[in-house]
Amino acid sequence: MKNNVPVILLIYTGGTIGMVKDYKSNALKPFDFENIKVKIPELKLLDCNIETTAFESPIDSSDMSPNYWVMIAEIIENRYHDIDGFVVLTGTDTMSYTASALSFILNNLSKPVIFTGSQLPIGDLRTDAKENLITAIQVAATHENQIPKIQEVGLYFEYKLYRANRTTKISSEQFEAFESPNYPNLGESGVHLNFNDQWLHKADRNQTLSLEKDFNANIVILKLFPGINRNTVEHILEFPGLEGVILETYGAGNAPTDDWFSDALKKTIDRKIPVINVTQCISGSVSMGHYETSMHLKNAGVISGKNITTESAIAKLKLLLGKKIPFQKFKSKFETPIRGEMS
Ligand code: ASP
């Protein structure tokens, strides 16, 4: 804090929020982010000092990758001592993946890291960018007795603040583009900015921030559908170099009971490749053994993803594999929440 005023760092990585329309060609193009205060003069009215930094070449979030996740984390780490809150702007398409990953990368985080973006570019007349950006900054700047209100990675979008690793993108059309189906909102913005204190993470502020940077990308998502072909399943699971599988199942974690399917899973697990059961349902939890159609998965040693999102499961799986956790311990490690990502 400088003279009791929080300092907020805006990190622009790319995405619609930082684009303007070229009225000659009608195409969207990135604008110079250093000029953000010119584009949104209201930023000067906020009760905080705003600094900005941007990726040298902003990316569409479809090009996001673990290397960029680490780049964002390193920007945060390098400024952690003199910045009070961070607002990360990315494209919405993969924002839940990136924000979930950052929640795992940033070990002992005790300052706000708030992700936001927009459905319409900042230069558009009907843009949602201004409200999202201004309120995300306010969230990151909210302190009580010099202690930040938010001490975790959040995602703010269209009047709602969510725990980032609980979110999923649900619409490419509505301004309300995200949802946190299995965890209550951390806050809402109406006439007042309200926080739901009982759902906020309380960090141990004596610990030092460190980064978890080792990701193992040799994983696959196998999404079930009625009539899925035996050859396809065996081909995917027998792929050389495969080290982890997210199995997207039906309902409460159910899957076909054909012998060939159970055998393929057993063979995979015998090769010490963890298989995580994540439901295709938008909300609710995996509960293996609840139906007969999940008993064989439980018996084969499939790991329960409980109510984790696929976005979070990917980051967690890549990270735990990167930590080279012994196979016998992998199940209990994965089934234990690390950053409030499952319950
Ligand atoms: N395609 C864009 C992206 O995710 C969409 C957006 O910014 O909302 O980068």
Side-chain angles (χ1 to χ4, degrees):
M1 297 234 182
K2 275 186 200 144
N3 307 323
N4 264 342
V5 178
V7 185
I8 304 301
L9 181 65
L10 283 187
I11 304 169
Y12 177 61
T13 70
T16 304
I17 191 161
M19 300 201 167
V20 283
K21 201 173 236 170
D22 180 332
Y23 284 99
K24 276 191 199 127
S25 65
N26 240 354
L28 290 176
K29 53 171 201 201
F31 77 97
D32 180 6
F33 204 74
E34 298 299 320
N35 287 330
I36 184 78
K37 288 184 199 155
V38 179
K39 271 269 167 272
I40 310 185
E42 294 92 328
L43 291 180
K44 294 193 196 109
L45 303 174
L46 290 171
D47 234 357
C48 57
N49 292 317
I50 299 171
E51 295 187 21
T52 57
T53 183
F55 276 10
E56 215 166 279
S57 311
I59 55 164
D60 185 285
S61 78
S62 301
D63 285 323
M64 211 20 112
S65 68
N67 290 343
Y68 287 120
W69 296 346
V70 171
M71 264 170 75
I72 299 169
E74 284 174 344
I75 294 174
I76 294 171
E77 185 184 38
N78 290 337
R79 298 297 310 276
Y80 198 67
H81 57 287
D82 64 339
I83 292 290
D84 300 297
F86 300 85
V87 173
V88 185
L89 306 174
T90 76
T92 57
D93 289 348
T94 62
M95 190 186 291
S96 288
Y97 292 89
T98 308
S100 298
L102 262 290
S103 79
F104 293 111
I105 296 175
L106 299 166
N107 216 359
N108 297 325
L109 179 71
S110 59
K111 294 186 177 184
V113 173
I114 310 298
F115 277 75
T116 197
S118 66
Q119 293 283 54
L120 284 175
I122 219 153
D124 195 288
L125 215 49
R126 296 178 53 250
T127 190
D128 53 333
K130 280 192 184 185
E131 199 286 317
N132 286 346
L133 180 58
I134 289 170
T135 309
I137 294 172
Q138 280 186 318
V139 168
T142 303
H143 281 63
E144 275 171 7
N145 306 322
Q146 311 244 2
I147 295 179
K149 186 79 184 166
I150 300 298
Q151 305 177 5
E152 59 183 301
V153 182
L155 189 155
Y156 179 80
F157 217 88
E158 193 63 7
Y159 305 113
K160 297 205 177 89
L161 176 67
Y162 309 103
R163 173 164 294 165
N165 59 28
R166 292 295 197 137
T167 62
T168 191
K169 183 172 178 182
I170 52 154
S171 178
S172 59
E173 164 68 25
Q174 306 295 324
F175 285 141
E176 198 163 346
F178 291 88
E179 211 173 89
S180 167
N182 286 322
Y183 194 76
N185 300 339
L186 302 184
E188 284 97 23
S189 158
V191 173
H192 298 105
L193 189 52
N194 287 320
F195 294 95
N196 301 323
D197 284 358
Q198 76 268 39
W199 304 112
L200 304 181
H201 170 67
K202 303 272 179 302
D204 178 352
R205 298 181 49 75
N206 296 318
Q207 303 290 326
T208 317
L209 180 84
S210 62
L211 306 190
E212 306 275 358
K213 296 189 204 177
D214 293 324
F215 286 96
N216 179 334
N218 299 324
I219 66 167
V220 75
I221 301 177
L222 176 54
K223 180 169 182 158
L224 298 179
F225 56 90
I228 191 167
N229 180 302
R230 176 177 182 170
N231 284 343
T232 312
V233 170
E234 289 178 350
H235 184 78
I236 292 174
L237 294 181
E238 282 165 21
F239 179 73
L242 183 68
E243 293 187 59
V245 178
I246 290 170
L247 183 67
E248 275 204 2
T249 56
Y250 308 125
N254 306 318
T257 52
D258 306 76
D259 286 343
W260 65 261
F261 184 76
S262 301
D263 290 346
L265 284 181
K266 273 188 219 137
K267 269 195 217 153
T268 310
I269 294 168
D270 284 348
R271 281 164 59 215
K272 296 192 171 22
I273 297 175
V275 178
I276 320 294
N277 188 344
V278 176
T279 175
Q280 294 178 14
C281 291
I282 177 106
S283 70
S285 186
V286 162
S287 167
M288 281 187 287
H290 188 61
Y291 287 91
E292 218 179 330
T293 44
S294 61
M295 227 33 230
H296 58 311
L297 305 184
K298 193 175 180 178
N299 293 338
V302 169
I303 297 168
S304 175
K306 303 182 184 176
N307 61 6
I308 200 169
T309 60
T310 298
E311 291 88 330
S312 247
I314 286 179
K316 188 172 182 178
L317 180 57
K318 282 184 176 178
L319 196 91
L320 291 185
L321 286 171
K323 281 166 109 57
K324 306 217 177 343
I325 289 168
F327 183 75
Q328 316 81 269
K329 294 200 175 142
F330 206 90
K331 183 168 166 31
S332 73
K333 275 274 176 213
F334 197 97
E335 290 181 351
T336 308
I338 303 178
R339 306 274 195 257
E341 73 285 0
M342 52 160 58
S343 43

